[in-house]
Amino acid sequence: MHNGSDIEVRWLKWEEAAEEILDLRRRVFMSELGWSEERVHHDSDPEGLHLCALSGGKIVAAISAYVYGPGAPGTAALELPDLDGPTVEIGKRVALQTHRGRLISTRIANSMVRQLCESLCPSRFFLIVRPSQYDHLLDRYAKRDFVVRGEVGSGDDAVTVMTVEGGEALERFYLRHRELTWESRSDDERLAIPSLVRFLADEGRGDLLAAERLGAENFYLDLLSLQEEAPRLSAQGRLVLAEQRPRLASTPFPPAPASLLDVGSGPGDYLAAVTEESPFAGYRVCGVEPAPQLLARARSNFPGLTFHQGTAYATGEADASHDVVTASFLFVHLRSPDLALLEMRRVLRPGGLLYVVDVDDAAFRGPDVVRRMLETYDREYAADRTILNDLPERAAEFGFQPVRSFSTTLGYVVDAEPGFGPDEIRLGREQAWSLLSFVRSQRGIEESFLEARDHYFGVECEIGVDIKTQVYRRRP
Ligand SMILES: C[S@@+](CC[C@H](N)C(=O)[O-])C[C@H]1O[C@@H](n2cnc3c(N)ncnc32)[C@H](O)[C@@H]1O
């Protein structure tokens, strides 16, 4: 539901909403715009994805997406050649006159695009513009990265097809829509938009989800040289272990014998250290990691642990096979947290725990110039380094109930000795800065990095980065 507003947003099946959606389209397309009945319908409506805003239980705005696999007649008729992945048409956006001006249909449209990118990973988006709409729409969509691909049909049936396709254009398109959804997070009228992944899984349409395509991405490794990153990761691991000891001790892990799965286990050092801790005595421990080079390192350094190749979206583990799933510094590197939550829920036994540790850039404290650098980095990073703010809401959709949450600030405090305080780790000046060294690896950010670094070392100032722990229980 909406924060203090009357709007509820839902993905609706065509069978349950067809009459209402058609009625809404008729009111707008026919009564207001004077279009014909034919244009109220779409051949693919029955399989379409319909995101609807409801007020008092009635649909007041809707937008639809139509997914075409390679070889689909719908795309061939529009002279769109086949691509490897799915093609998605966006269309039939409508809002009741009484509900315009509140950006409801804009917000659901932005969220729809974001979620489609995150969970279906389309190779192309397209939309159809008709001559009567040219004046305002061609321009509007061009500003949203669509390019005119061509005209199809003739006479009254002529339409213009606009597309977004190709790796770079799609990435821009995704980042832009994600940012728009971030902006609306702070609106008074924030809409809680449910998960497309959850909807598709519940409807038995999980085959549309792009677990495999997304699993081929590794944003963490894309940007880093392993040579430089390995020592940073082990230094971070030592710090985090110290921070985690009391967190682990106060979490009600199930007693042994039990099984723990660590997703995104990397070189395994952190997993090996954590599972030495008393809550895990007698546990069977397994790590899942997609990167072959990290997997090889983990297997050779920790022969007593088991490591499998897999991703957060497809771990390769059996249903309900683990009592605990851990994810340390993983979620901030995922394009689709929802798909990972779906998979984590699948492999956890009912009542099992999901234990997440990650950074939260939204909680960064420090001078503006450093904050701006971090924000620039985060805007361009295709995973979300502020995801922990949304995770409780998203996890709830996948049947996870919050059990505990903790937060620790790691940073430099002027005139304070390095050491441990409650919920705080005070580092030396250099060491605190090294927590931000990953920023430099992103293209185009060097100048902003150097400016921030010069400021930090030139002026006596403090920085603080939050590490958050969130523990969830999988509902039966
Ligand atoms: C920052 S490292 C954390 C490693 C380890 N968990 C730790 O805390 O030291 C992020 C890890 O996530 C892995 N990773 C990246 N994308 C992934 C995905 N889609 N599924 C699973 N792991 C992924 C990376 O290869 C890397 O090992």
Side-chain angles (χ1 to χ4, degrees):
M1 277 294 275
H2 197 287
N3 280 355
S5 158
D6 56 325
I7 302 291
E8 183 194 2
V9 182
R10 288 165 58 190
W11 293 97
L12 291 177
K13 284 189 287 190
W14 187 246
E15 309 90 271
E16 61 182 327
E19 279 319 308
E20 244 197 287
I21 295 176
L22 289 173
D23 185 50
L24 179 62
R25 289 183 192 163
R26 281 190 190 102
R27 285 164 79 167
V28 177
F29 296 162
M30 295 175 71
S31 308
E32 277 186 45
L33 299 174
W35 297 353
S36 65
E37 166 78 23
E38 193 196 334
R39 291 193 27 207
V40 165
H41 302 268
H42 190 294
D43 287 349
S44 300
D45 268 331
E47 314 78 66
L49 303 171
H50 307 281
L51 186 59
C52 303
L54 295 88
S55 175
K58 293 262 169 268
I59 301 177
V60 295
I63 181 161
S64 303
Y66 307 97
V67 185
Y68 305 93
T75 46
L78 294 169
E79 297 169 15
L80 293 171
D82 277 348
L83 297 173
D84 258 357
T87 285
V88 175
E89 176 183 1
I90 305 278
K92 305 285 183 220
R93 176 171 156 181
V94 273
L96 215 54
Q97 207 160 20
T98 46
H99 284 75
R100 289 183 208 148
R102 287 168 66 185
L103 298 179
I104 294 169
S105 72
T106 305
R107 287 181 222 196
I108 62 175
N110 291 339
S111 174
M112 177 183 251
V113 169
R114 174 184 179 171
Q115 293 204 54
L116 287 165
C117 292
E118 288 178 4
S119 50
L120 269 61
C121 204
S123 297
R124 174 198 287 132
F125 282 91
F126 79 90
L127 42 83
I128 290 174
V129 187
R130 294 175 194 269
S132 59
Q133 305 165 290
Y134 281 171
D135 286 350
H136 64 296
L137 286 191
L138 283 181
D139 218 36
R140 188 206 286 180
Y141 293 131
K143 285 196 187 118
R144 289 289 180 92
D145 305 323
F146 279 92
V147 293
V148 172
R149 165 126 199 154
E151 304 251 329
V152 183
S154 56
D156 284 353
D157 292 331
V159 294
T160 297
V161 180
M162 297 184 84
T163 63
V164 182
E165 59 185 274
E168 234 172 84
L170 282 165
E171 202 64 349
R172 277 288 107 231
F173 188 64
Y174 169 57
L175 292 176
R176 173 197 283 266
H177 283 85
R178 188 184 63 166
E179 197 168 340
L180 290 166
T181 63
W182 280 348
E183 281 168 14
S184 61
R185 264 201 311 220
S186 52
D187 286 353
D188 295 342
E189 273 218 310
R190 195 180 82 81
L191 294 178
I193 300 184
S195 164
L196 174 60
V197 170
R198 172 72 206 259
F199 173 75
L200 290 174
D202 286 353
E203 292 310 313
R205 300 180 68 189
D207 55 315
L208 287 183
L209 298 169
E212 223 170 278
R213 275 156 71 82
L214 286 165
E217 298 180 330
N218 192 329
F219 297 140
Y220 170 73
L221 283 186
D222 275 357
L223 287 173
L224 295 168
S225 114
L226 209 52
Q227 210 85 320
E228 288 169 27
E229 178 58 6
R232 197 199 67 83
L233 199 57
S234 15
Q236 173 184 291
R238 282 192 296 277
L239 266 179
V240 176
L241 186 63
E243 185 267 341
Q244 279 293 305
R245 268 196 190 106
R247 311 314 192 192
L248 293 167
S250 64
T251 298
F253 289 108
S259 168
L260 178 149
L261 179 72
D262 184 50
V263 183
S265 47
D269 303 71
Y270 182 66
L271 175 63
V274 163
T275 49
E276 289 283 297
E277 296 294 307
S278 55
F280 303 122
Y283 265 56
R284 198 158 51 82
V285 174
C286 175
V288 164
E289 166 60 39
Q293 63 277 47
L294 291 177
L295 202 57
R297 196 186 278 233
R299 283 176 174 153
S300 99
N301 287 348
F302 305 102
L305 298 180
T306 309
F307 293 94
H308 294 157
Q309 186 157 26
T311 74
Y313 313 125
T315 57
E317 300 293 301
D319 289 359
S321 52
H322 296 280
D323 302 283
V324 176
V325 167
T326 55
S328 311
F329 303 94
L330 169 75
F331 271 96
V332 294
H333 300 300
L334 298 179
R335 188 191 296 270
S336 181
D338 285 12
L339 262 181
L341 287 167
L342 181 71
E343 175 68 353
M344 288 168 180
R345 181 192 155 86
R346 186 186 68 76
V347 302
L348 261 178
R349 293 201 178 100
L353 295 187
L354 168 62
Y355 191 95
V356 178
V357 183
D358 235 311
V359 289
D360 173 17
D361 282 358
F364 174 80
R365 284 181 290 288
D368 282 349
V369 58
V370 184
R371 179 194 310 280
R372 276 200 304 274
M373 167 195 80
L374 206 53
E375 283 171 357
T376 307
Y377 180 94
D378 288 354
R379 265 201 305 277
E380 295 292 314
Y381 194 50
D384 183 355
R385 291 182 51 94
T386 63
I387 182 62
L388 256 53
N389 294 277
D390 288 346
L391 203 62
E393 203 174 292
R394 290 183 180 226
E397 283 205 62
F398 291 88
F400 288 108
Q401 170 189 13
V403 176
R404 295 268 192 289
S405 72
F406 311 99
S407 182
T408 301
T409 302
L410 265 65
Y412 173 62
V413 180
V414 175
D415 292 336
E417 283 297 306
F420 289 78
D423 303 330
E424 179 193 32
I425 301 180
R426 294 183 303 278
L427 305 171
R429 205 169 171 190
E430 294 267 356
Q431 199 186 5
W433 183 253
S434 72
L435 294 174
L436 301 176
S437 59
F438 68 89
V439 166
R440 201 169 189 174
S441 56
Q442 197 176 73
R443 238 183 330 145
I445 211 171
E446 180 76 3
E447 208 175 300
S448 160
F449 177 83
L450 294 177
E451 189 193 356
R453 192 187 62 184
D454 289 350
H455 179 88
Y456 174 73
F457 287 107
V459 180
E460 188 75 355
C461 61
E462 306 185 347
I463 53 171
V465 173
D466 274 12
I467 303 268
K468 292 190 172 161
T469 302
Q470 296 179 351
V471 189
Y472 300 93
R473 189 183 305 284
R474 180 205 191 282
R475 286 182 201 277

